[in-house]
Amino acid sequence: MPPHLRWLAEVVCPTRAQQIVFQEYVRAVTEQQERLQRLERELLDEVKGWRLLPVVEAIQALRGIDVTGAVILIAEVGDLTRFDTPRKLMSYLGLTPSEYSSGERRRQGGITRAGNPHARRALVEGAWAYRYPAKVSRHLQLRLEKLPADVQAIAWKAQVRLCKRYRQLSARGKHVNQVIVAVAREMAAFAWAIARTVPVAP
């Protein structure tokens, strides 16, 4: 049992009614977690014969990208290596800043939001993991052990850079949403780099 569940099991509310409601909340969360695990297992079974499965497995080396996020990204975008450069992938995902030009003046605005919203959301959600210092958790280590050394090296480089990027942009006073999008944009580049190392059947 995870530590937080052990802690919750020891919580005692002041009244019987509060205790019942509290236990119902805990039970509801536990049931949803179990449902999510069942769906993830089904998802893995469905993609086992997919030619892009090696890429799905490899990009899970990136912190913040679990099996669901990896499947969404690859299912929506396809083979990441079809883009000549990571910048083209970023543009396809709508993660590049919009631009307004007038004469010699050039001004950048929010992201274009072009391309696939599902793939973009998977990266943006994953980017929140870089708020914390670079670290290989036990859960991530289990995923990394199955992957080649060059994929592991790219993933660690991504962690170091993106955690630092988050801190730097936050220190400059950027809004947290802008910071997360900037991190997601660079995550796309690292996913592209990982995909280039993975042989995929035609």
Side-chain angles (χ1 to χ4, degrees):
M1 181 186 289
H4 70 281
L5 290 181
R6 286 198 299 271
W7 181 82
L8 288 172
E10 295 172 2
V11 172
V12 178
C13 297
T15 68
R16 177 178 172 276
Q18 288 174 329
Q19 190 70 35
I20 289 171
V21 171
F22 174 74
Q23 291 299 331
E24 286 294 333
Y25 281 144
V26 172
R27 184 177 174 190
V29 170
T30 304
E31 286 173 353
Q32 290 304 312
Q33 288 174 333
E34 290 170 354
R35 179 170 177 255
L36 180 61
Q37 289 169 357
R38 287 195 304 272
L39 289 170
E40 285 183 345
R41 285 194 297 270
E42 291 294 331
L43 189 62
L44 273 176
D45 287 341
E46 286 297 318
V47 299
K48 275 182 181 173
W50 192 22
R51 73 179 186 90
L52 292 174
L53 178 62
V55 182
V56 167
E57 293 174 336
I59 64 172
Q60 288 180 67
L62 291 171
R63 182 172 169 182
I65 300 290
D66 61 2
V67 62
T68 305
V71 170
I72 289 171
L73 179 62
I74 302 304
E76 296 293 342
V77 179
D79 185 359
L80 301 182
T81 61
R82 67 191 173 97
F83 297 94
D84 298 333
T85 65
R87 188 166 293 280
K88 288 183 179 178
L89 172 60
M90 295 174 197
S91 181
Y92 175 83
L93 292 168
L95 288 168
T96 52
S98 56
E99 188 176 309
Y100 306 93
S101 299
S102 176
E104 295 181 0
R105 296 183 65 183
R106 178 175 170 268
R107 190 164 61 90
Q108 289 187 323
I111 58 171
T112 62
R113 295 182 186 273
N116 191 291
H118 302 298
R120 183 170 61 250
R121 185 164 52 248
L123 286 169
V124 169
E125 288 298 320
W128 287 97
Y130 295 92
R131 291 174 294 168
Y132 308 106
K135 176 188 174 184
V136 177
S137 65
R138 180 178 171 276
H139 186 67
L140 181 57
Q141 182 60 42
L142 291 173
R143 296 203 305 253
L144 290 170
E145 286 172 359
K146 304 171 188 174
L147 298 171
D150 51 350
V151 171
Q152 293 185 37
I154 294 170
W156 179 244
K157 183 179 177 183
Q159 272 223 57
V160 172
R161 176 171 172 77
L162 297 181
C163 292
K164 181 180 178 183
R165 182 89 171 128
Y166 183 92
R167 289 194 311 273
Q168 287 175 334
L169 292 174
S170 297
R172 288 184 206 164
K174 296 285 186 183
H175 189 278
V176 66
N177 291 345
Q178 290 179 302
V179 176
I180 290 298
V181 167
V183 170
R185 181 164 52 245
E186 293 199 29
M187 277 179 73
F190 283 109
W192 179 86
I194 287 174
R196 284 172 59 86
T197 71
V198 181
V200 174

